[in-house]
Amino acid sequence: MDAKRVMELIREKSIRMVDLRFMDMPGLWQHFTVPAESFSEDAFTEGVGFDGSSIRGWKSIHESDMIVVPDPTTAYEDPYFTLPTLTLICDILDPVTKESYPRDPRNIALKAQNYLISTGIADTAYFGCEAEFFVFDDIRFDQTPSCGFYYVDSVEGRWNSGRDEKPNLGYKPRYKEGYFPVPPTDATHDLRAEMVRVMQEVGMTVEAHHHEVATAGQCEIDIRFDTLVRTADNLMKFKYIVKNTALRYGKTATFMPKPIFGDNGSGMHTHQSLWKEGQPIFPGNGYAGLSQTALYYIGGLLKHARALAAIIAPTTNSYKRLVPGFEAPVNLAYSRRNRSASIRIPLYTESPKAKRLEFRPPDPSCNPYLALAAQLMAGLDGILNRIDPGPPLDKDLYDLPPEQLKEIPTMPGSLSEALAELEKDHEFLLKGDVFTEDFLHTWIEYKRHREVEEINLRPHPYEFALYYDI
């Protein structure tokens, strides 16, 4: 779809409002809305001005003017607004230089795609992401000088098996057994189906949906793979649809990685492959049917995984998920079929076009434009520098004896540790000017001061159980 077709669509659909969306640095969609009669085709070349000073990680108040430039290929009719509204995903320009804004996450993703082409290795990177989420019936939290708490609840929660629900009908998934019994135990089926319907309505392709492992409404909806930027765009539409559909059902959805103690958290397993001139370059005669190029790509991901953690698992809560004993992989190894490895080579089919790898540490709290771009840059660094991934590990890593396990590198144990790793290892992200030193410095400082330090300042409720009587 081009700019002219968008303007025709506005007239054909009697669109009243045009919603312009863009991404802040941490990963939340932002928007402002223009009446359709005030929106012209010039917006696609000249852009629309707005105040960027309040966007997290962006401009300061004395240089706040910014420009959004809509991408006409992203147009879709919003399914939730009362008035007919056309949504457009936008890129950000600096009004002085008229150049793409280096702190715009979508710009970083676009630059990663262009860098891939410039290497001559491939011309297309495909990504498919499994963004898991929880659906709750109630969520309350607060933090004051004298109290701090959170409370989540779900009619599915196993902890409610003894609650008087007038009547309590049972059918609550056991801990770690939500994957995946039929209804009535799976109480979120119809809700997920409605989410899928809306996703299809806005042009997304859905491959499957199901309950996930945890009790209390953990869900997964698998959307079809696409190019890097299109996948990131689709993930933002995905989150928007999941949250707003849940709201219409009187429920709340969260992509927080670990909202429940004692059960599985939510990951975003990321499938990826490289193609050139319409042909996949990951199939070959090596391990698990991979090419040497694919093995080098794995080598890059494994080498830089600890630095990647600061971008692909970017919250303090992410490291409540990345602990041994659950399905989240902390050991940096690769294997075919093995879900305890951080990189898995799926073997569902022998088709060369389906040959890919699955990187399992990312979680859905990430900014998808940054997370996918960073993974691509790590993989390309592996190819360009012929990084050997070492031998595969075709066994349950959690059952290895301690003397073998200690030889396997692991993901960082905290966001603070991950940020320190990114400080030490980020040259691979700077190639092609994809990420910049300014952006990475801003990211690290933002995460340290706005998240890590803020968490460290506050007493944790469980500390009272441990230490109050000392």
Side-chain angles (χ1 to χ4, degrees), residues 18-22 30-34 39 48 68 70 88 90:
V18 178
D19 200 52
L20 304 177
R21 298 197 182 166
F22 54 95
Q30 310 289 321
H31 80 135
F32 64 93
T33 311
V34 178
F39 185 81
V48 180
V68 295
L88 290 159
C90 303

Side-chain angles (χ1 to χ4, degrees), residues 320-386:
K320 304 294 193 297
R321 167 186 171 257
L322 288 175
V323 293
F326 295 88
E327 285 195 13
V330 295
N331 298 298
L332 296 174
Y334 71 103
S335 175
R336 56 189 166 197
R337 303 177 65 184
N338 188 349
R339 283 176 164 79
S340 67
S342 59
I343 296 179
R344 183 177 75 95
I345 297 91
L347 294 180
Y348 294 123
T349 174
E350 294 299 318
S351 170
K353 292 186 175 182
K355 185 58 65 177
R356 63 194 187 274
L357 62 91
E358 177 191 30
F359 191 45
R360 296 175 64 81
D363 71 55
S365 69
C366 70
N367 183 322
Y369 297 101
L370 305 178
L372 301 188
Q375 288 173 72
L376 176 61
M377 296 301 289
L380 291 177
D381 189 63
I383 295 171
L384 291 168
N385 291 291
R386 299 175 175 268

Side-chain angles (χ1 to χ4, degrees), residues 368-425:
Y369 297 101
L370 305 178
L372 301 188
Q375 288 173 72
L376 176 61
M377 296 301 289
L380 291 177
D381 189 63
I383 295 171
L384 291 168
N385 291 291
R386 299 175 175 268
I387 298 174
D388 184 355
L393 286 173
D394 290 325
K395 57 185 71 176
D396 187 343
L397 300 180
Y398 298 128
D399 286 340
L400 287 180
E403 61 272 15
Q404 292 185 37
L405 196 59
K406 70 180 182 180
E407 301 299 322
I408 301 172
T410 63
M411 291 291 285
S414 68
L415 179 57
S416 181
E417 186 180 345
L419 293 169
E421 292 290 337
L422 182 59
E423 276 186 322
K424 292 187 298 183
D425 176 24

Side-chain angles (χ1 to χ4, degrees), residues 202-256:
V202 302
M204 298 169 64
T205 300
V206 177
E207 296 184 333
H209 73 87
H210 57 82
H211 203 287
E212 255 300 335
V213 173
T215 190
Q218 191 183 33
C219 300
E220 181 176 315
I221 300 174
D222 296 331
I223 55 177
R224 185 171 176 80
F225 68 89
D226 210 325
T227 59
L228 191 158
V229 173
R230 291 290 174 244
T231 295
D233 287 344
N234 283 335
L235 280 167
M236 295 315 299
K237 290 193 285 186
F238 177 92
K239 287 187 171 185
Y240 179 73
I241 290 168
V242 164
K243 291 176 181 178
N244 281 281
T245 304
L247 191 65
R248 282 188 168 179
Y249 274 62
K251 297 180 183 291
T252 179
T254 182
F255 291 89
M256 184 177 176

Side-chain angles (χ1 to χ4, degrees), residues 63-348:
E63 49 180 6
S64 59
D65 291 347
M66 301 294 288
I67 295 174
V68 295
V69 179
D71 180 344
T73 67
T74 66
Y76 70 93
E77 191 170 355
D78 190 278
Y80 299 104
F81 292 137
T82 301
L83 290 178
T85 301
L86 192 75
T87 292
L88 290 159
I89 301 174
C90 303
D91 299 308
I92 308 299
L93 296 185
D94 187 293
V96 178
T97 65
K98 302 298 182 184
E99 294 179 351
S100 297
Y101 184 43
R103 294 188 189 179
D104 172 19
R106 195 168 191 264
N107 174 44
I108 290 172
L110 287 165
K111 288 192 292 184
Q113 287 187 157
N114 292 333
Y115 174 70
L116 168 64
I117 296 170
S118 75
T119 65
I121 294 168
D123 51 41
T124 307
Y126 285 115
F127 287 86
C129 300
E130 303 169 2
E132 299 163 351
F133 57 95
F134 278 88
V135 175
F136 294 132
D137 294 291
D138 191 28
I139 169 67
R140 289 178 279 132
F141 52 89
D142 200 2
Q143 181 79 56
T144 73
S146 63
C147 95
F149 77 95
Y150 70 89
Y151 178 86
V152 297
D153 202 12
S154 165
V155 70
E156 270 197 5
R158 188 66 178 180
W159 57 82
N160 285 325
S161 59
R163 183 173 67 178
D164 183 4
E165 295 178 342
K166 304 185 186 305
N168 188 324
L169 301 177
Y171 301 118
K172 303 180 191 301
R174 285 177 283 273
Y175 296 106
K176 304 182 188 179
E177 293 187 28
Y179 191 85
F180 27 49
V182 300
T185 302
D186 177 4
T188 55
H189 173 88
D190 287 342
L191 173 58
R192 293 195 311 272
E194 175 63 10
M195 292 171 179
V196 169
R197 184 194 68 78
V198 178
M199 290 176 192
Q200 292 172 325
E201 185 180 291
V202 302
M204 298 169 64
T205 300
V206 177
E207 296 184 333
H209 73 87
H210 57 82
H211 203 287
E212 255 300 335
V213 173
T215 190
Q218 191 183 33
C219 300
E220 181 176 315
I221 300 174
D222 296 331
I223 55 177
R224 185 171 176 80
F225 68 89
D226 210 325
T227 59
L228 191 158
V229 173
R230 291 290 174 244
T231 295
D233 287 344
N234 283 335
L235 280 167
M236 295 315 299
K237 290 193 285 186
F238 177 92
K239 287 187 171 185
Y240 179 73
I241 290 168
V242 164
K243 291 176 181 178
N244 281 281
T245 304
L247 191 65
R248 282 188 168 179
Y249 274 62
K251 297 180 183 291
T252 179
T254 182
F255 291 89
M256 184 177 176
K258 187 72 172 179
I260 295 177
F261 165 68
D263 212 333
N264 285 50
S266 293
M268 192 181 82
H269 307 150
T270 303
H271 299 253
Q272 44 205 285
S273 64
L274 298 183
W275 291 55
K276 187 172 186 178
E277 297 176 353
Q279 296 299 317
I281 66 172
F282 275 7
N285 298 319
Y287 173 78
L290 293 175
S291 66
Q292 186 60 58
T293 298
L295 290 170
Y296 286 147
Y297 190 101
I298 289 172
L301 281 176
L302 292 177
K303 177 182 177 179
H304 299 298
R306 289 178 59 81
L308 287 175
I311 297 173
I312 65 170
T315 67
T316 58
N317 186 253
S318 298
Y319 298 87
K320 304 294 193 297
R321 167 186 171 257
L322 288 175
V323 293
F326 295 88
E327 285 195 13
V330 295
N331 298 298
L332 296 174
Y334 71 103
S335 175
R336 56 189 166 197
R337 303 177 65 184
N338 188 349
R339 283 176 164 79
S340 67
S342 59
I343 296 179
R344 183 177 75 95
I345 297 91
L347 294 180
Y348 294 123

Side-chain angles (χ1 to χ4, degrees), residues 13-75:
K13 296 280 190 179
S14 299
I15 295 296
R16 299 284 302 279
M17 298 288 169
V18 178
D19 200 52
L20 304 177
R21 298 197 182 166
F22 54 95
M23 177 66 83
D24 71 2
M25 190 180 70
L28 284 180
W29 243 0
Q30 310 289 321
H31 80 135
F32 64 93
T33 311
V34 178
E37 59 266 25
S38 300
F39 185 81
S40 71
E41 194 170 334
D42 291 342
F44 295 100
T45 53
E46 298 177 8
V48 180
F50 75 104
D51 178 2
S53 64
S54 297
I55 306 302
R56 295 180 298 173
W58 279 20
K59 293 285 190 178
S60 58
I61 193 68
H62 69 280
E63 49 180 6
S64 59
D65 291 347
M66 301 294 288
I67 295 174
V68 295
V69 179
D71 180 344
T73 67
T74 66

